[in-house]
Amino acid sequence: MASSLGGMFPGQQPSAHPGPGPGAAAPLPGAPGGSRVPGGGGATLVDDLEASFEACFASLVSQDYVNGTDQEEIRTGVDQCIQKFLDVARQTECFFLQKRLQLSVQKPEQVEKEDISELRNELQRKEILIQKHLGKIHHWQQVLEDINVQHKKPTDLPQGPLAFLEQASANLPAAIKPN
């Protein structure tokens, strides 16, 4: 797999195999034939993606745009930078989709292992979420139970205009109570 990504990242040499090997999928129509972009000056897709991303920000903070008064010109320049970034991002995505397709044809068991691993991670994440919700449910059940207990206590106490005083005097220590 490492050789199939040759030339994609800076400092790497392109793959020794110019085309797909036997049994490998052919490049997708309209997709770049490799990791190099036509007219990109020999830069890799990652380099072009990074440069176009930086150009998007540079166009937003450029002194020309800050001092400029023509809003339509500013908008056009920013739109062009964003469009170039989106085009390079699509090319990069297409490159990785091609490599994924080649991997699925050459090593289908690897794709199944990845799928199983993703499903296990999803199950684990959902189990944690369920435990979190159960904890909240138990907490609120306890709160409701405490509220019910508090509402039952006043019925056990004497009722009437002097009930509060009777309750307060019952809580006084024996040494303080008047005889």
Side-chain angles (χ1 to χ4, degrees):
M1 180 66 186
S3 65
S4 64
L5 292 177
M8 180 66 188
F9 299 100
Q12 273 190 326
Q13 296 300 322
S15 176
H17 306 292
L28 297 173
S35 60
R36 304 221 179 260
V37 177
T44 64
L45 281 174
V46 172
D47 292 336
D48 287 347
L49 186 66
E50 182 180 1
S52 63
F53 184 72
E54 289 172 357
C56 287
F57 280 106
S59 68
L60 293 173
V61 296
S62 172
Q63 272 310 109
D64 296 337
Y65 290 141
V66 171
N67 296 333
T69 57
D70 186 8
Q71 293 296 321
E72 190 60 34
E73 181 182 327
I74 294 170
R75 182 173 289 127
T76 303
V78 170
D79 285 346
Q80 286 174 350
C81 288
I82 291 172
Q83 190 60 44
K84 182 176 190 255
F85 173 74
L86 291 174
D87 289 342
V88 176
R90 283 186 202 102
Q91 290 174 349
T92 305
E93 180 183 22
C94 187
F95 172 82
F96 283 109
L97 287 173
Q98 280 182 340
K99 295 304 175 185
R100 179 76 174 167
L101 179 63
Q102 288 176 355
L103 179 66
S104 69
V105 170
Q106 293 171 354
K107 296 182 179 182
E109 69 277 358
Q110 181 66 28
V111 175
E112 290 174 4
K113 285 180 184 177
E114 290 175 6
D115 289 344
I116 290 170
S117 176
E118 287 175 10
L119 288 171
R120 284 184 180 146
N121 289 339
E122 183 71 13
L123 280 173
Q124 184 179 17
R125 186 185 67 80
K126 287 183 179 181
E127 284 292 331
I128 291 170
L129 191 61
I130 288 170
Q131 294 303 319
K132 179 181 170 186
H133 286 296
L134 284 175
K136 287 181 179 181
I137 288 171
H138 291 302
H139 168 75
W140 287 110
Q141 284 176 335
Q142 186 64 42
V143 168
L144 289 173
E145 188 176 305
D146 292 345
I147 290 172
N148 285 336
V149 168
Q150 288 176 354
H151 285 307
K152 289 180 182 178
K153 279 186 179 178
T155 60
D156 297 340
L157 298 175
Q159 298 296 321
L162 299 177
F164 177 74
L165 290 176
E166 290 174 4
Q167 179 186 6
S169 66
N171 292 335
L172 291 174
I176 300 177
K177 284 186 183 180
N179 290 334

